[in-house]
Amino acid sequence: MSALSNNNWSRRSLFRAAAGMAAAGSLAACGGNTGRSSSGDSLVQYFHAYGEAGTEQAIKRYAKAYKDANVTTQWITGSNFENKLFPALLTKNAPDVFEFHPQLQLVTSGQVADLSDIINPVKDDFNPADIASHTVDGKIYGVRMIDDPQFFYYRPSLFEKAKVEVPQTLEELIEAVNKLTTDKVKGAFLGNDITPVQSPLIWSAGADTLNEKNEIAYHTDAVAEGLGQLRKLFTSGNLLLDAPADWWDPSAFTQGLTAIQWCGMWAMPVIQKALGDDVGIFPFPKVGSAGKFSVTNGGWSMFVNAKGDNVDAAKEYVKWLWIDQKEYQEDWALSYGFHIPPRTSIAQSATKLKSGLPAEGVKLFSEYGHFDNIGWTQAMIAAVNDVIANSVRKGGSPEAALDACDKKVNAELKKLFG
């Protein structure tokens, strides 16, 4: 489930995306009734098109097993899931249930239902950070389905050949990329527009998106310097910038187009199948003297449309699938790519994540992972996308780009917090 993750709404746009999905297509082309009985409520659920084989069939299989409602799945392809989801929520054809990332404006606008009553009985079995990122004024507004750490994959054999060590700093990463580049292989792939690493850059510079008072925390000298370094990397000619599939798809890495790729843990089984033991992972390296390693924790959560006609039935379905059916939750997290189950009890029994590279991924997630900030909205993410576009890709002043971003983010903060 590759993760749109939240970083850039883009699937992965995670930070969002961030958010990407697999093929292109229109909403009208999506869907298919997976309902079971002819009686009871009819519910519609929205999912972005995960890239991993078998995911669509799995979600529809779970829905078909539910006996108390007919559940129809809209499986939405294309790279901007939110551009289809948000307009749909304003219409009579809005979904009853949908996946997304915790976003405060969904709460303040009354768009998503309070799910505290179904989550509180099992709250202690969830990763506390996943509960915190979905909580507003003591109420929990979404059920986390999967946690999706994102980090760098690399080819140890290519590192050895180029006499390169695993980078600890952004400077070392740039140096490694330059040494790893040959006439056939680019040193690294950070996504076709570089935005997947915008939040890790901020965190690795010792900064954050927002502080505890919901004020701008990303505009620091270290972040500005890091943007300058990314510009240097972008203009080096040693980055892969035109991959056939974007960063959430590991094909650029598995096909040997790049020695390093930023991607998610979801891709690990495909990568290991293609490359065997010739693969390692490392976090986003330190940026500046106060730098820290960082890992994006993307992932997806299930929400109930509070403005729909079937709120109670939708909550019952969400409880049944994402609270009660631990077998399906484990299947979703581990059978179609690797994701970390947000339920502690499931994570503890996940043997596929207990050794080797998957265990390393869990360790990076635990030590350096950054979870969703519910106050960091799509508009704010888009504003930082513009910083990457203007300073890294177009070569403008990082300070000027950050100043422009501040105006947009402060306008959003004023809307949310007054």
Side-chain angles (χ1 to χ4, degrees), residues 358-418:
E360 285 186 49
V362 172
K363 186 167 185 284
L364 292 183
F365 162 84
S366 301
E367 293 182 0
Y368 308 120
H370 289 259
F371 286 70
D372 295 286
N373 181 335
I374 197 168
W376 188 244
T377 67
Q378 294 310 116
M380 298 177 197
I381 291 159
V384 183
N385 290 170
D386 291 342
V387 171
I388 297 293
N390 293 327
S391 65
V392 176
R393 299 206 304 274
K394 297 177 184 175
S397 158
E399 276 297 338
L402 289 168
D403 286 341
C405 184
D406 291 350
K407 292 180 182 177
K408 297 173 187 174
V409 172
N410 276 323
E412 287 298 306
L413 290 172
K414 189 171 183 180
K415 280 190 220 169
L416 285 172
F417 302 106

Side-chain angles (χ1 to χ4, degrees), residues 163-178:
K163 297 182 171 55
V164 168
E165 300 292 328
V166 173
Q168 304 295 301
T169 66
L170 185 53
E171 291 97 329
E172 290 178 6
L173 176 63
I174 294 170
E175 188 178 338
V177 169
N178 294 340

